Amino acid sequence: MSMSLNPLVFLVGCALLGAGCNRAPEGPQVPSAAPSSAPSSAAATPTSGAVPPGTLGRAGPAMLDLAGLQEAVREVQVLGRWRGRPAPVEALDDPLVRRRILTRALENRLIRDEVARRGLTAGPAAIERALVNALAGRGPSHAVDAVPDADTLEAQIAARFEAPVARVRRVAADLLGSEALAQALLDEVPEARIKADWVAAQTARDLEVWQVPRVPTAQEIDEAERTRGAEIEAWYAAHMSRFSTPARVSLHRLFLQGTDAGTRAKLEALRARLAAGEDFEALARSESQGPQARRGGAVGSLAEKRVPWAEGLAEGALSPIIEERGGLAVYRLDGRLPATHRPVSQPSVRREIAATLLREADALPGAKALAAQVRARLSRNPEDPELAALVASRAVRRHVTQPFDKDGPEAIPGVGLAPEAFQAAFAAAAGAVAGPFQVRQHYVVFRVLVAKAADPAAWVAARADYSARWREAKRGTVVDRWLSQVLEGQPMWVDGEALRALTRAQLLAEPGSVSPPPR
């Protein structure tokens, strides 16, 4: 059984544990709400009401100080042990991780209050069962055959989590409370909403799609060069960096995970072997723990500014040992590529900009005429040999989609997000031709091959099974959606400067035992 996690513990756990978590569901979201408020900048102040001294962040009525943040960090550590992957404390040095922990801790306070307001707080027996599941690394609601006596259970929890039992109980209560709140929110969704999604899921289309590149002809570019000289100069001045390539260095890398003294000593020994002339590629393949190991440590080229330690390093020389996120590395400098700059006087630059200006203005009569021709021929005779000739000449692209339903993002397979074309497809009957639609770098024309519609009478038989599957699909995000509604119009405030000033030791201290640094 997968573990159901509340927003604080789940997302912060992902940030620290590198779990690759992704709770974005497929299909429409519920309840509908505005996107979650992003934390305001460090220089900003709360939009309403004063905050006490020492407050690090605020979300609506919830506020958090250093002690609250320290408790949130401790909860993350509990979750890491619950899942069998203790969080690496080095991640706390990342300002983004700190901010994520803080903002989710604020949201967690709102969730706790709502759980209490609704009377959904887990009882002692449920928490005891959750603790048994914690020992086994299972989700808090997993069925439990037996619960040890209180003394035995507490001793086992203390040994497994190396934390006060009360803290582990708090995390278990949060997990159970979030599950209960999610169920309550799902129970409030009216059947009409679920039925509408069922109808959408039963409504499907197969399309024959034709894509005409939004590319100006050579003659159109020539004309733009002659008549848009001032615009070309202005566009170049505004986008000069696009025509410049910074100085780059090509590198090989040997990486070891970890930053402890033993890892450093091992890497120093490996570096000494390289300095003595041992083959870098062979040693990287056998010893490196980085993703480049299978390529003999080849990194490719990087901008010089990304590797300041390479300044002054000769070709073929080894870098000092570099501490990186997650470990230590030594590099070999293979070569240098000088910076380049393409001037606006260069003919290829002027033509490139002219083509861009035409696309931006949608001044592409040739491509538009071709798209209109495709639609006309497709409407008259889908088997028109001229259409096949256009595909053969690569003037247009053609593909047939897999069936796709209305209960999903407004995207057409092989085309991508295309709201206008998507809506037109579901408004059209089988055999209908529609377009052209401007979709990024193409004009899109399509013919509806299959138009499947829902049978409203079938809802009665499908209702119970579909409703259960629908609720399960939405369970992972419904609390986050509720948070978005609660915080709508109340931007989250974070004191970024104070957050960055905290040391790792302060964040890892027991709550309330360390004062924040002076401001």
Side-chain angles (χ1 to χ4, degrees), residues 231-249:
E231 291 178 68
I232 290 173
E233 298 279 349
W235 199 95
Y236 180 86
H239 303 85
M240 198 172 296
S241 62
R242 296 194 183 190
F243 303 96
S244 299
T245 302
R248 302 181 70 81
V249 292

Side-chain angles (χ1 to χ4, degrees), residues 320-353:
I321 291 178
I322 309 297
E323 183 167 344
E324 301 178 338
R325 182 166 182 176
L328 301 170
V330 62
Y331 289 83
R332 184 185 72 194
L333 179 68
D334 300 320
R336 295 182 182 273
L337 299 172
T340 61
H341 179 72
R342 299 166 61 201
V344 71
S345 58
Q346 189 173 317
S348 63
V349 170
R350 299 188 73 83
R351 292 186 68 79
E352 184 179 326
I353 296 174

Side-chain angles (χ1 to χ4, degrees), residues 57-266:
R58 176 177 181 175
M63 289 182 279
L64 205 74
D65 57 11
L66 177 58
L69 180 58
Q70 290 167 333
E71 184 61 36
V73 170
R74 293 292 184 170
E75 289 180 350
V76 169
Q77 293 179 313
V78 167
L79 178 68
R81 292 184 180 279
W82 190 319
R83 302 176 67 201
R85 292 196 295 270
V89 296
E90 294 85 0
L92 290 172
D93 297 337
D94 187 337
L96 180 61
V97 171
R98 295 183 177 199
R99 181 176 288 260
R100 192 172 298 168
I101 294 173
L102 177 63
T103 57
R104 282 299 178 172
L106 288 166
E107 292 175 339
N108 194 55
R109 292 197 171 193
L110 297 174
I111 293 170
R112 287 174 180 171
D113 289 346
E114 183 67 11
V115 167
R117 187 186 72 80
R118 290 173 176 253
L120 301 174
T121 303
I127 293 177
E128 297 297 303
R129 291 192 294 272
L131 292 180
V132 173
N133 284 321
L135 291 172
R138 298 189 297 249
S141 299
H142 195 280
V144 172
D145 294 330
V147 177
D149 64 82
D151 290 342
T152 299
L153 180 59
E154 290 196 2
Q156 291 174 335
I157 289 291
R160 164 75 186 273
F161 289 93
E162 298 179 8
V165 176
R167 178 171 294 134
V168 185
R169 289 181 182 276
R170 175 72 268 176
V171 171
D174 282 341
L175 296 175
L176 293 169
S178 185
E179 287 183 350
L181 179 58
Q183 187 60 52
L185 292 169
L186 290 170
D187 290 342
E188 293 170 358
V189 177
E191 182 181 319
R193 168 63 196 276
I194 301 175
K195 182 180 179 180
D197 281 1
W198 173 82
V199 169
Q202 302 302 307
T203 305
R205 293 290 185 269
D206 290 11
L207 305 179
E208 178 187 22
V209 177
W210 297 75
Q211 293 173 281
V212 177
R214 295 183 60 249
V215 177
T217 65
Q219 293 79 8
E220 290 166 355
I221 294 175
D222 290 341
E223 179 65 18
E225 273 197 276
R226 286 193 299 270
T227 61
R228 299 192 179 205
E231 291 178 68
I232 290 173
E233 298 279 349
W235 199 95
Y236 180 86
H239 303 85
M240 198 172 296
S241 62
R242 296 194 183 190
F243 303 96
S244 299
T245 302
R248 302 181 70 81
V249 292
S250 55
L251 304 164
H252 273 68
R253 175 184 187 236
L254 197 158
F255 175 81
L256 296 182
Q257 295 177 355
T259 58
D260 55 90
T263 302
R264 182 174 291 274
K266 180 179 179 180

Side-chain angles (χ1 to χ4, degrees), residues 246-247 302-308:
L302 299 175
E304 265 188 358
K305 64 182 180 181
R306 291 184 56 187
V307 286

